[in-house]
Amino acid sequence: GVSGSDRRTGLGRCRATMAMRGLTVFISDLRNCSTKEQEEKRVEKEMAHIRSKFRSDSNMNGYNRKKYVWKILYMYMLGYEVDFGHMEAVKLISSQRYSEKSVGYAWCALMLREGDALLRLFINSIRVDLISRNDNAACLALNAICNVGGEEFAETLSSNVIELLTNNFTKTYVRKKAALTTLRLYRKSNDILRAEEWADKILQLFDEKNIGLLTSVTSLVLGILAVDSTGWEGASNKAARTLTRLVLNKDYSNDYLYYGIPTPWLQIKLLRVLQHFPPPAEHALKLRVSEVLQKIISGTEVTKNVNKNNATHAVLFEAINLSIHLGSHGQTLQQCINLLGRFISIREANIRYLGLETMARLSEVQPETLEGLKKHHSTILFSLKDPDISIRRRALDLVYAMCDMASVKETVSELLVYLAVADAGIKEELVLKIAILSERFASDYAWYVDVIIQLIKSAGDYVADEIWYRVVQIVTNQGDDLQKHATEAAWRSFNEEPYPHKTLVKVTGYILGEFGHMISDRPGSRPAQQLQALHRHYTSSEPEVRALLLNTYIKLAHTYSEVAPQVAEIMEHYSAAMDQEVQQRAAEYISLSAPGMAEIKGTVLEMMPHFTERESIVHKTLTSKSQQEGAAVPPPRADARTAPDTPATAPARTAPAPDLLGGLDEPSPPAASSAADLLGGLDLGGVPEPPTARSSAAPDLLGLLEAVESPTLAAGVDLLGGMGRGGGAVASTVAVGAPTPLWIALCMRNHGVLFEDATVQIGVKMEFQGHQGRLGLFFGNKTQAPLMSLATALSPCPQLAVQVSSLAPTLAPGQQLQQTFMIDCLQAFGEPPQLSVRFMSSGTPVQLLMRLPVPPSKFFAPLNVNGPDFFRRWKTLEGKEAQKTFKLKTSPLPPPEVERVAAEGLRLAVLRGVDPNTANFVMAGWIVTKGHAQPQSDEASVLMRLEINATAGMCRTSVRAISAELVSSVVGLVESQLAVPGA
């Protein structure tokens, strides 16, 4: 190293300059590199040079070591990986020279992280500096501990840090750093500051005169109180005396005045400390706190200086929070209310926000102030229309917190009016709070039911399931009067809406199933009319709604024998539904109707019993939502009328339905010997068992299986369960890409045979939900020889993302194999991809070409809109239309046939009353694509009109959508179903 005499001479200064000049030259070289490759080459060269120096020069002087470590740090900050130099940094930290020690600590702060195993190398050196008498070295050590942190530092060094803090001989600036370092370590390990050992010593620091040290110590105490205030009660008196000294006695230096305000940050921290404890027990001290609050609250003025306003209002709002905390023990609450009322009406958005937030807290913590707050009711309601959504949310919180028994009907009425114009960002929270208020303070539950039904009609998309669960819970638990009123209100609202929201359908369906008998004797609400009205919306409903409606149907049939035959037909029809939940419920209800099940049926279908009283699930939902957003939810003012979390929705359901479309990213491999059943539990292949009288008569829930007439396999046996019949000679290439009756049939339903000849049978089972679909191809070998080199390939289709499972290359005689296709619809398309199936049969190569039966309609969803909205969308898509006129197979066209083609086949909603000509039909839907930003938007719409000339037996089909290929595909499918073949 350079000796002391050298440093006092020109030679020493020259050597020091030359030593650091190497670092300057290196940085200049890197900055002058014109390409990334040049920079990397220069860095690699320098790293190699430094490595060799570290290895060869064991007696390297401090200057060179410092220079090389600075170079390594610079390369690290540029993003290059560094895995050496740690021991050199330890040596620098151990140096007695500040310039070298600071470089070592810079390495520690930049290169080390909490939990790093290399920390152990530095702990002893850091401890030596902490206990040394060198204040500068101690400050460097404290900085390093703060930067790295971690439990290891907390366990090994905390006692030394706290000793520095509490030692009266430690310099003030070192104690400031020690206080903040202690807070950093305390947040990692709460055990380092036991109250019985350290509370008195740390609280004595409040008597210090230095404002900087006071601020650091107050930050430490606040951090401790945030975890546990036990044993630290003395902080209350200390904080009160310190506040008095600053605000009333003005005991501070002018260095700590900020725009004329004495130490605003320290004032805020001290006011927060006082909020962790009850009012001071000492009367004189309590009066002093009141004087401090009075001076802050009455002495705050709004000025044109933004910085001064920010500081004064920060102190003021903390003083108001303390006044709220003290409550009746303070004398400033009324002044706080007047101030807050002024704040929520000024132009500055931040002040309005804080005023509304503090008002909400005041109404929750001090309910006796409600009358004073209600004077500002009109201003608060006006804030609901503020352009800033954060202010609207705080205003809504305040309205919610201020509501009580006397004002609930007025408040809910105003919120319902606001709901009609509220933007989407606040509607969900607004709906939840209206529901909670109308339940919590309802003097009449009939009014509560009316409010919830109005909510569903006004903002159905934002009404969570928990809200309608809660309605049926309360209605079930109350007497006949409320049940009758709820049934009448739900039935009336349901019939008033041409396209009721799904939540209204659920509520009406559930209530009619339980209490429909209460209105069954009135004209217009007979059992058959109830069933007809509900079933009118069945096909356009989502699967969960359909499942609930099946419960209602079976309960109606159980109560009224006149609708039992119609319900039996519905159950039989939907026992073959694609949706597993609907299918299983229908099948169970069919089984439940057997003659020997009468007693069990009566037990299962009896009226729901009362629910157990529990906390309202709606309030729990709001609490959970607010916690996720970081906001607080006010507790109930009165006991909420509660019931259980969710209503039971029907019969013998012991397990939830599986996720049919789960695991799309990992399609399971096909079984080795039999085809897996896509829709659950049915074996579609393998060697069939000999038929018995019972098995041949058993119904097939999916409509795919037939009784097999022979237990032995032979050519021509339908290995896929009687899904179709066909034949033909095997050729080297069989092109069946053009639409065939089998392909067209699969476009309208989800299971059947795609191709069959004397050699092979290819069956299909599909299911679709939203933009996702799963298609299973089943290959059956009908010959006595194995089919070899079996493989499939798909033609490119950019609009679809397809994942294909593996397929075994050999298909043995009598064996079935399954291949699964996971399909995502990315955008609108027309023609589906072409499928090529290749195999070797008796040494002859065979290739089959066909299209996958996945037209765009598989990704449609019903769109229930009214007439004006339909024609608005129709006009928007002007110029994007395809038309086709053809002769009808059946004239006039029967509505059930339209329902079969449009609703069940094409997944479109049939809109009634839109076209003034009752002979015409109007349909609407939308194509669901992955990641679509605006579901059900105009661009996603698929609109169709069927104009019927009954006299001539002709039909003109008009389809409009954003994609020309899509409309052509839909027109072709409609023609294939309704037109005279070959006409």
Side-chain angles (χ1 to χ4, degrees):
V2 181
S3 66
S5 60
D6 284 342
R7 287 202 304 274
R8 288 190 294 270
T9 65
L11 175 61
R13 289 192 297 273
C14 179
R15 289 179 61 184
T17 306
M18 290 297 292
M20 296 311 292
R21 184 178 298 163
L23 173 63
T24 306
V25 170
F26 174 63
I27 293 173
S28 298
D29 289 347
L30 291 184
R31 289 179 174 176
N32 292 331
C33 291
S34 58
T35 64
K36 181 69 175 175
E37 290 74 16
Q38 287 182 1
E39 180 182 295
E40 290 175 350
K41 187 175 180 181
R42 180 69 181 88
V43 167
E44 289 172 1
K45 178 181 177 181
E46 190 64 34
M47 280 192 176
H49 172 69
I50 296 173
R51 282 179 191 271
S52 65
K53 286 291 185 180
F54 284 168
R55 282 197 299 265
S56 61
D57 193 355
S58 58
N59 295 319
M60 181 183 297
N61 62 50
Y63 280 102
N64 283 332
R65 182 175 287 115
K66 178 174 65 173
K67 176 183 66 176
Y68 293 141
V69 169
W70 272 129
K71 287 183 178 182
I72 294 173
L73 285 176
Y74 186 71
M75 289 184 280
Y76 176 77
M77 288 188 288
L78 289 179
Y80 293 95
E81 186 175 348
V82 175
D83 58 358
F84 68 101
H86 298 87
M87 290 308 302
E88 308 305 322
V90 173
K91 292 177 182 177
L92 286 173
I93 290 178
S94 303
S95 172
Q96 297 302 311
R97 295 173 178 167
Y98 181 83
S99 61
E100 295 173 14
K101 190 181 290 288
S102 63
V103 177
Y105 277 116
W107 175 286
C108 182
L110 282 172
M111 302 290 286
L112 298 181
R113 295 291 179 270
E114 176 183 345
D116 199 323
L118 293 169
L119 285 176
R120 296 185 182 90
L121 297 174
F122 295 83
I123 286 178
N124 285 334
S125 298
I126 294 174
R127 180 185 284 113
V128 168
D129 286 339
L130 286 176
I131 62 179
S132 70
R133 294 182 179 274
N134 187 329
D135 293 331
N136 292 333
C139 288
L140 287 174
L142 292 170
N143 288 343
I145 296 171
C146 268
N147 278 316
V148 179
E151 291 188 7
E152 191 160 5
F153 274 4
E155 293 170 0
T156 56
L157 300 175
S158 59
S159 58
N160 302 112
V161 174
I162 299 172
E163 183 64 30
L164 271 179
L165 171 63
T166 56
N167 192 331
N168 291 328
F169 295 102
T170 306
K171 296 283 182 65
T172 300
Y173 66 88
V174 179
R175 297 175 88 176
K176 286 195 298 184
K177 290 180 180 291
L180 297 177
T181 305
T182 304
L183 176 58
R184 175 83 160 91
L185 296 179
Y186 180 79
R187 287 171 176 165
K188 287 297 177 183
S189 177
N190 302 149
D191 298 332
I192 67 171
L193 280 175
R194 293 188 298 274
E196 61 272 14
E197 182 178 355
W198 294 108
D200 291 339
K201 294 181 180 180
I202 290 176
L203 292 179
Q204 282 179 2
L205 297 174
F206 277 101
D207 298 329
E208 293 287 334
K209 299 294 184 181
N210 186 279
I211 299 297
L213 177 57
L214 272 175
T215 305
S216 298
V217 171
T218 308
S219 297
L220 171 61
V221 171
L222 265 180
I224 296 170
L225 296 178
V227 176
D228 185 11
S229 61
T230 305
W232 296 86
E233 289 79 5
S236 175
N237 291 344
K238 293 284 187 180
R241 288 190 173 91
T242 306
L243 261 178
T244 302
R245 198 173 83 201
L246 293 173
V247 179
L248 299 180
N249 301 340
K250 299 183 179 182
D251 184 8
Y252 52 81
S253 69
N254 291 334
D255 294 335
Y256 289 95
L257 279 176
Y258 182 79
Y259 289 96
I261 308 160
T263 64
W265 299 277
L266 179 56
Q267 286 191 54
I268 291 170
K269 292 177 188 292
L270 292 170
L271 290 167
R272 287 180 179 173
V273 168
L274 290 173
Q275 293 175 50
H276 285 274
F277 303 99
E282 189 179 329
H283 182 68
L285 202 57
K286 188 187 301 183
L287 290 178
R288 288 295 181 89
V289 171
S290 297
E291 287 180 34
V292 168
L293 292 177
Q294 183 70 34
K295 184 174 179 61
I296 294 174
I297 292 173
S298 60
T300 301
E301 297 179 356
V302 178
T303 67
K304 294 183 179 180
N305 189 305
V306 176
N307 291 329
K308 182 174 182 179
N309 275 342
N310 289 340
T312 55
H313 284 100
V315 176
L316 173 61
F317 276 105
E318 210 57 60
I320 292 174
N321 285 334
L322 179 58
S323 296
I324 294 172
H325 172 74
L326 296 176
S328 57
H329 297 280
Q331 288 80 41
T332 56
L333 273 184
Q334 189 56 48
Q335 283 182 282
C336 292
I337 294 173
N338 296 334
L339 263 179
L340 293 174
R342 193 176 73 196
F343 288 157
I344 65 174
S345 60
I346 67 175
R347 182 176 298 179
E348 174 59 39
N350 290 333
I351 302 299
R352 284 206 313 279
Y353 177 92
L354 291 171
L356 290 167
E357 185 179 48
T358 309
M359 266 192 172
R361 184 166 179 265
L362 176 60
S363 68
E364 296 159 22
V365 178
Q366 304 295 340
E368 66 273 10
T369 62
L370 274 177
E371 290 304 318
L373 292 175
K374 285 180 181 179
K375 297 176 183 177
H376 309 286
H377 189 67
S378 58
T379 307
I380 297 167
L381 288 177
F382 185 76
S383 297
L384 288 172
K385 303 173 184 177
D386 195 278
D388 190 333
I389 190 170
S390 61
I391 291 179
R392 293 200 299 274
R393 288 187 185 279
R394 296 292 77 79
L396 178 58
D397 289 342
L398 180 53
V399 171
Y400 176 75
M402 288 170 55
C403 187
D404 57 13
M405 287 290 292
S407 62
V408 62
K409 291 194 175 181
E410 179 186 358
T411 300
V412 168
S413 176
E414 291 167 342
L415 292 179
L416 284 172
V417 172
Y418 172 60
L419 179 63
V421 297
D423 60 288
I426 202 173
K427 271 192 174 182
E428 184 179 0
E429 183 181 354
L430 180 57
V431 166
L432 279 173
K433 288 184 173 177
I434 291 174
I436 292 173
L437 291 177
S438 58
E439 177 193 348
R440 183 185 299 166
F441 301 115
S443 57
D444 177 11
Y445 271 129
W447 172 77
Y448 162 69
V449 171
D450 293 339
V451 168
I452 299 302
I453 290 177
Q454 187 176 347
L455 268 183
I456 296 172
K457 292 171 67 175
S458 303
D461 289 337
Y462 301 93
V463 177
D465 283 342
E466 290 80 7
I467 293 178
W468 82 264
Y469 292 164
R470 187 68 178 151
V471 171
V472 299
Q473 291 162 6
I474 289 175
V475 171
T476 301
N477 282 12
Q478 300 303 311
D480 292 347
D481 291 342
L482 180 64
Q483 291 166 0
K484 185 175 182 179
H485 174 83
T487 308
E488 292 172 345
W491 176 248
R492 181 173 59 253
S493 299
F494 182 76
N495 286 317
E496 288 173 352
E497 298 287 318
Y499 304 104
H501 192 271
K502 68 175 183 179
T503 305
L504 183 57
V505 178
K506 289 179 186 177
V507 173
T508 306
Y510 186 94
I511 290 179
L512 287 181
E514 296 296 324
F515 314 113
H517 60 276
M518 293 185 170
I519 61 171
S520 60
D521 56 344
R522 299 183 180 182
S525 56
R526 305 289 185 190
Q529 292 169 318
Q530 293 181 24
L531 177 63
Q532 181 183 8
L534 291 172
H535 199 57
R536 187 168 62 245
H537 301 284
Y538 185 92
T539 55
S540 60
S541 298
E542 298 178 5
E544 59 179 297
V545 183
R546 296 184 183 188
L548 186 144
L549 288 179
L550 290 183
N551 301 343
T552 303
Y553 297 167
I554 197 67
K555 288 204 169 192
L556 290 174
H558 180 64
T559 307
Y560 307 105
S561 57
E562 63 263 31
V563 299
Q566 188 177 352
V567 171
E569 290 180 10
I570 294 172
M571 296 300 171
E572 189 66 36
H573 177 71
Y574 288 104
S575 64
M578 182 193 77
D579 184 79
Q580 186 178 13
E581 178 74 10
V582 172
Q583 178 196 114
Q584 187 169 347
R585 289 197 187 203
E588 289 174 351
Y589 289 142
I590 291 173
S591 301
L592 202 60
S593 299
M597 303 286 285
E599 184 175 349
I600 296 176
K601 181 180 179 181
T603 303
V604 170
L605 300 181
E606 67 183 8
M607 188 178 294
M608 290 297 296
H610 284 198
F611 295 99
T612 306
E613 296 290 335
R614 292 205 289 265
E615 179 189 356
S616 169
I617 190 174
V618 183
H619 189 270
K620 287 196 292 185
T621 301
L622 179 61
T623 303
S624 173
K625 182 177 183 299
S626 300
Q627 287 173 349
Q628 291 171 3
E629 296 174 354
V633 178
R637 292 194 189 284
D639 293 337
R641 300 171 174 89
T642 54
D645 293 346
T646 55
T649 51
R653 303 287 301 143
T654 58
D659 179 9
L660 297 182
L661 291 177
L664 288 177
D665 294 333
E666 300 179 10
S668 56
S673 61
S674 65
D677 177 13
L678 288 177
L679 295 182
L682 294 178
D683 184 11
L684 297 184
V687 179
E689 295 292 332
T692 64
R694 176 66 183 147
S695 63
S696 62
D700 172 23
L701 295 183
L702 290 179
L704 293 179
L705 304 179
E706 291 180 351
V708 181
E709 298 179 356
S710 171
T712 60
L713 291 176
V717 173
D718 180 3
L719 297 176
L720 294 177
M723 291 189 291
R725 290 285 180 262
V730 178
S732 295
T733 300
V734 181
V736 289
T740 64
L742 291 176
W743 185 86
I744 292 173
L746 284 169
C747 289
M748 304 302 291
R749 57 192 179 97
N750 288 329
H751 49 78
V753 169
L754 179 60
F755 174 80
E756 185 177 16
D757 62 11
T759 304
V760 67
Q761 184 187 58
I762 303 175
V764 175
K765 287 184 77 175
M766 302 174 280
E767 55 184 350
F768 295 88
Q769 183 172 316
H771 64 83
Q772 298 174 327
R774 179 162 57 179
L775 181 148
L777 283 183
F778 301 92
F779 300 92
N781 184 356
K782 298 171 64 175
T783 69
Q784 298 300 318
L787 302 182
M788 311 297 292
S789 303
L790 178 62
T792 62
L794 284 178
S795 64
C797 183
Q799 297 89 347
L800 299 177
V802 185
Q803 299 180 22
V804 186
S805 68
S806 58
L807 180 65
T810 302
L811 182 57
Q815 186 189 15
Q816 286 183 350
L817 291 177
Q818 177 191 349
Q819 188 172 34
T820 303
F821 295 74
M822 300 297 184
I823 306 171
D824 274 323
C825 180
L826 307 180
Q827 62 188 76
F829 66 99
E831 291 295 327
Q834 194 175 65
L835 173 71
S836 170
V837 181
R838 300 183 300 276
F839 57 87
M840 298 287 290
S841 176
S842 301
T844 303
V846 178
Q847 182 178 18
L848 307 176
L849 298 177
M850 62 199 78
R851 289 204 175 273
L852 280 184
V854 186
S857 57
K858 296 292 186 182
F859 301 99
F860 288 177
L863 180 62
N864 288 303
V865 294
N866 55 27
D869 194 13
F870 175 86
F871 286 111
R872 181 189 61 77
R873 292 171 183 256
W874 184 266
K875 188 172 182 180
T876 301
L877 296 171
E878 191 170 359
K880 300 178 176 63
E881 180 178 356
Q883 285 191 350
K884 184 74 173 182
T885 302
F886 50 80
K887 190 169 184 62
L888 291 168
K889 286 190 293 187
T890 307
S891 183
L893 186 59
E897 180 69 2
V898 176
E899 287 279 352
R900 181 189 70 82
V901 174
E904 298 179 16
L906 298 179
R907 299 169 171 238
L908 300 175
V910 180
L911 309 180
R912 293 174 175 82
V914 173
D915 196 308
N917 187 342
T918 56
N920 296 340
F921 297 91
V922 176
M923 282 73 76
W926 62 289
I927 183 165
V928 187
T929 55
K930 186 175 182 178
H932 198 292
Q934 293 180 308
Q936 302 187 17
S937 64
D938 293 353
E939 293 75 14
S941 301
V942 180
L943 310 176
M944 182 166 68
R945 299 176 67 186
L946 301 181
E947 297 170 278
I948 309 300
N949 185 335
T951 305
M954 300 296 290
C955 172
R956 181 170 70 183
T957 302
S958 304
V959 179
R960 289 188 181 183
I962 197 69
S963 166
E965 294 82 3
L966 184 148
V967 295
S968 297
S969 174
V970 174
V971 167
L973 287 175
V974 174
E975 182 183 13
S976 70
Q977 298 299 306
L978 302 181
V980 174

